[in-house]
């Protein structure tokens, strides 16, 4: 795809950030020079490479450099810390990591060195240096030190795995999602069509670009597929993003609902920025409240397009020519005529149309299994290979889906997913805690926040929220996973006879908070 674009439109602008402006020919040449360096380092077809970069132009050249070398990026988020990254490094068997030196004052190079001590296969640390500041830690390589004269590239088949995405809400062995070049590019092409991208489009990556949503729905890859331009904003705040929209004449971008709300509020209160180039705003990652959906078009002067997707595959969109009744109140319908969806009950039997049930799916770009994780595969797929999304939805007669919630094993905190089990496992190590259950509670701003129900080890000295938050933070987890609320209780409800499943306990407790 990149080779073709660099040949047909070498001088079109491919990538922009506040420091870089690369044409397709330049992006292609940069990616090829990095590929030659990766190959020289012994990184080649099938090797896994952790990529933890913020929204900077280098992300795009590293991505294509790895693709050209046949290596598989493992997409980590800038917010991930060692509790997440050590298991990811081990489960993926990554041989290298590409990261930055600092991002938002956090030292990622030091984090990379810690990972190397824990993950025996991690041999090469490659760092994008801070602007104008020397002094990378010993034993690491600056990204530019990789560049070589381009050489012949290894053969890569369209059906080969292209990269590993992370599933939000992984526990124990991380759920790594293997996507192939052909399945992913199919989803990117179809997304680009449905979102109206062409060579004049400028897509702004405002969400962390390693997420499946800004990567592919239609994301930076959709923009490059269409021959358009990718712009990257270092953070999604209205100030930074509105400056980028004005400066780069951005036409389309994507946001999670809480950020969409911040943008709407800023635009409603101030006309300081010229946002007139912006035509489409995708909103997804979590349920967009209907009230917010109605304000988006008027406030930002855009067409709202709702997107309900998952890194495992299935992506649903409202269409740009749908009536308001669909665009403002549903999460759309599958993007491919070959996607299959079914709404079933807990036994796997179809529920009547319009009734809430669990969404399962199968299709041309939905995975059939996680990477080296038989345990997750046994629970996440039906016997005949349908992916159990875990989402509770209702299918309207017009074919559009309305997302109602999820099975209670995950908190969706404004689009960032939290695995209840993962945080419970940390909390169980706290000396003041005998048992802990993490549930979602409704939140006006974020959609959901996390609440932990705790049985104290000694009822006379129950833990305080501040202590718990500090404890979880010091475990080195992404900030959004730190519990928001704490309830100390004397006992957990009995949810049935015999073995109490943590899942039903979570459901019971979460029903209790929703009613209060
Ligand atoms: P992940 O598996 O981490 O890629 O997260 C995908 C999950 O995000 C889906 O299964 C849904 O639970 C949630 N999600 C994504 N988009 C939406 C949306 N528009 N409305 C509600 N939930 C969403
Ligand atoms: O939340 C997601 O994972 C998501 C949301 C919108 C996604 O993967 C996507 C679109 O492709």
């Amino acid at each position: 795809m990149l080779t073709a674009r660099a040949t047909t439109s070498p001088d079109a602008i491919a990538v922009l950030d506040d420091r870089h402006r690369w044409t397709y020919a330049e992006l292609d040449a940069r990616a090829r020079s990095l590929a030659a360096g990766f190959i020289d380092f012994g990184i080649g077809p099938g090797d896994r490479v952790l990529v933890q970069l913020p929204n900077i132009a280098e992300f795009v050249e590293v991505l294509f450099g790895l693709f050209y070398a046949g290596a598989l990026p493992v997409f980590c988020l800038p917010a991930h810390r060692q509790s997440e990254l050590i298991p990811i490094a081990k489960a993926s068997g990554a041989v290298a990591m590409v990261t930055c030196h600092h991002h938002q004052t956090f030292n990622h190079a030091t984090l990379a060195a810690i990972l190397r001590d824990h993950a025996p296969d991690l041999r090469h640390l490659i760092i994008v240096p801070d602007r104008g500041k020397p002094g990378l830690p010993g034993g690491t390589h600056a990204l530019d030190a990789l560049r070589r004269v381009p050489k012949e590239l290894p053969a890569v088949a369209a059906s080969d795995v292209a990269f590993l995405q992370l599933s939000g809400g992984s526990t124990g062995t991380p759920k790594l999602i293997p996507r192939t070049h052909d399945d992913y590019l199919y989803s990117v092409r179809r997304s680009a069509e449905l979102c109206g991208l062409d060579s004049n489009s400028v897509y702004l990556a405002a969400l962390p670009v390693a997420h499946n949503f800004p990567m592919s729905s239609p994301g930076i890859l959709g923009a490059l597929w269409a021959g358009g331009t990718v712009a990257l904003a270092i953070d999604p705040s209205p100030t930074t993003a509105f400056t980028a929209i004005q400066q780069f004449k951005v036409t389309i971008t994507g946001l999670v609902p809480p950020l969409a709300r911040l943008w709407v509020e800023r635009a409603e209160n101030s006309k300081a920025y010229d946002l007139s180039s912006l035509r489409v705003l995708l909103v997804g990652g979590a349920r967009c409240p209907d009230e917010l959906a109605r304000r988006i078009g008027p406030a930002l002067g855009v067409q709202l397009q709702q997107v309900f997707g998952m890194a495992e595959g299935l992506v649903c969109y409202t269409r740009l020519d749908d009536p308001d009744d669909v665009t403002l109140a549903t999460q759309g319908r599958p993007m491919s005529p070959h996607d299959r969806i079914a709404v079933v009950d807990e036994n796997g039997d179809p529920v009547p149309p319009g009734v809430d049930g669990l969404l399962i799916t199968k299709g041309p770009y939905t995975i059939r299994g996680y990477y080296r994780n038989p345990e997750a595969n046994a629970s996440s797929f039906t016997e005949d290979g349908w992916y159990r999304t875990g989402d509770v939805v209702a299918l309207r007669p017009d074919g559009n889906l309305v997302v109602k919630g999820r099975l209670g094993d995950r908190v969706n905190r404004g689009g960032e997913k939290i695995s209840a089990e993962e945080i419970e496992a940390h909390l169980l190590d706290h000396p003041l805690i005998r048992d802990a259950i993490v549930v979602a509670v409704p939140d006006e701003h974020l959609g959901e926040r996390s609440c932990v129900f705790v049985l104290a080890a000694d009822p006379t000295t129950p833990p305080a929220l501040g202590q718990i938050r500090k404890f979880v933070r010091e475990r080195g987890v992404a900030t959004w996973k730190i519990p928001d609320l704490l309830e100390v209780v004397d006992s957990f409800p009995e949810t049935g006879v015999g073995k109490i499943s943590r899942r039903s306990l979570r459901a019971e407790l979460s029903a209790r908070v929703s009613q209060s």
Side-chain angles (χ1 to χ4, degrees):
M1 162 178 142
L2 178 60
T3 308
R5 283 292 167 205
T7 310
T8 54
S9 42
D11 300 325
I13 298 300
V15 181
L16 290 167
D17 70 8
D18 57 5
R19 285 184 281 159
H20 304 93
R21 182 187 161 88
W22 297 333
T23 65
Y24 276 88
E26 285 164 341
L27 172 62
D28 189 58
R30 297 181 74 93
R32 284 171 188 275
S33 75
L34 289 180
F38 287 128
I39 294 167
D40 252 24
F41 273 43
I43 300 168
D47 287 335
R48 279 80 61 203
V49 176
L50 305 184
V51 176
Q52 188 186 35
L53 290 174
N55 288 13
I56 53 178
E58 289 89 342
F59 180 92
V60 188
E61 58 171 340
V62 167
L63 179 69
F64 282 98
L66 290 170
F67 287 162
Y68 273 149
L72 279 51
V74 182
F75 292 121
C76 309
L77 297 172
H80 283 141
R81 297 293 178 258
Q82 67 200 60
S83 282
E84 288 102 4
L85 294 178
I86 292 171
I88 290 167
K90 287 185 178 163
S92 64
V95 299
M97 177 171 195
V98 184
T99 187
C100 59
H101 193 177
H102 290 90
H103 173 55
Q104 291 173 345
T105 73
F106 183 80
N107 192 327
H108 286 269
T110 303
L111 174 59
I114 293 171
L115 297 183
R116 183 173 48 189
D117 293 341
H118 287 83
D121 296 328
L122 200 59
R123 290 190 290 277
H124 310 287
L125 304 184
I126 299 156
I127 318 272
V128 178
D130 297 342
R131 184 178 0 187
K133 269 192 254 154
L136 290 181
T140 65
H141 305 272
L143 183 66
D144 279 337
L146 247 72
R147 295 189 200 283
R148 305 277 187 281
V149 176
K151 54 171 81 174
E152 198 180 326
L153 298 171
V156 176
S159 56
D160 286 346
V161 173
F163 58 80
L164 300 176
Q165 265 285 8
L166 306 179
S167 175
S170 300
T171 55
T173 309
K175 287 194 258 177
L176 300 172
I177 300 169
R179 299 290 300 262
T180 63
H181 288 278
D182 52 8
D183 95 63
Y184 207 61
L185 204 45
Y186 172 74
S187 79
V188 163
R189 272 160 40 202
R190 191 64 194 127
S191 296
E193 281 166 24
L194 290 178
C195 303
L197 292 188
D198 61 26
S199 60
N200 296 314
S201 301
V202 181
Y203 178 89
L204 179 71
L207 295 172
V209 62
H211 254 294
N212 195 58
F213 174 12
M215 179 101 64
S216 67
S217 298
I220 63 166
L221 292 178
L224 296 174
W225 165 259
T229 300
V230 169
L232 299 112
I234 195 72
D235 71 70
S237 66
T239 304
T240 306
F242 287 6
T243 305
I245 291 169
Q246 179 172 296
Q247 182 182 353
F248 302 136
K249 306 232 176 328
V250 170
T251 62
I252 174 168
T253 185
L255 292 177
V256 292
L259 282 170
R261 184 181 298 283
L262 278 184
W263 285 29
V264 162
E265 286 168 355
R266 178 67 70 86
E268 282 173 349
N269 293 323
S270 150
K271 299 280 166 255
Y273 296 92
D274 176 8
L275 304 180
S276 59
S277 58
L278 197 61
R279 283 196 281 277
V280 175
L281 179 65
L282 289 127
V283 176
R287 172 66 192 269
C288 182
D290 294 359
E291 153 272 335
L292 174 63
R294 285 192 295 274
R295 284 162 68 192
I296 286 172
L300 296 165
V302 296
Q303 168 71 55
L304 165 67
Q305 187 166 26
Q306 296 213 37
V307 53
F308 161 48
M310 51 208 73
E312 285 82 352
L314 180 72
V315 183
C316 302
Y317 291 99
T318 58
R319 308 304 198 249
L320 292 173
D321 56 1
D322 274 342
D324 279 357
D325 154 56
V326 172
T327 303
L328 301 179
T330 82
Q331 283 62 56
R333 48 200 182 275
M335 67 172 156
S336 165
H338 306 292
D339 282 317
R340 294 172 66 195
I341 56 171
V343 186
V344 301
D345 63 21
E346 303 240 308
N347 302 319
D349 298 320
V351 301
V355 172
D356 291 2
L358 295 164
L359 177 68
I360 60 173
T361 184
K362 198 177 199 179
Y365 59 95
T366 293
I367 55 164
R368 275 67 146 189
Y370 290 104
Y371 185 73
R372 298 184 181 169
N373 196 337
E375 205 176 299
N377 289 345
S379 58
S380 300
F381 295 85
T382 67
E383 264 167 28
D384 41 3
W386 294 68
Y387 171 58
R388 300 183 207 269
T389 66
D391 292 312
V392 176
V393 303
L395 182 60
R396 300 204 323 183
D398 62 7
N400 290 290
L401 289 167
V402 178
V403 180
K404 300 294 188 79
R406 267 195 77 81
L407 282 180
D409 55 356
R410 243 200 218 183
V411 182
N412 187 336
R413 192 177 187 279
E416 300 287 12
K417 320 304 186 301
I418 304 167
S419 154
E421 209 181 308
E422 177 188 341
I423 301 308
E424 289 163 6
H426 285 299
L427 293 170
L428 287 174
D429 289 339
H430 193 290
L432 297 179
I433 293 179
R434 182 153 70 87
D435 202 354
I437 294 282
V438 171
V439 302
V441 296
D443 180 75
E444 202 186 334
H445 183 59
L446 292 165
E448 291 179 358
R449 291 204 294 167
S450 66
C451 176
V452 31
F453 282 84
V454 159
L455 297 184
D458 171 1
T460 60
T461 49
L465 179 61
Q467 286 173 300
I468 284 187
R469 289 173 55 88
K470 181 160 176 282
F471 181 79
V472 175
R473 178 178 293 114
E474 285 171 359
R475 283 299 182 99
V477 303
T479 326
W480 74 78
K481 298 182 187 171
I482 297 169
D484 294 304
L485 302 163
L486 168 70
E487 296 264 356
V488 180
V489 292
D490 298 334
S491 63
F492 287 147
E494 295 289 334
T495 52
V497 239
K499 195 167 149 259
I500 296 171
S501 90
R502 298 187 77 79
R503 174 171 279 185
S504 47
L505 255 184
R506 287 187 204 111
E508 162 75 27
L509 287 169
S510 114
R512 209 197 266 185
V513 241
S514 311
Q515 281 155 17
S516 62

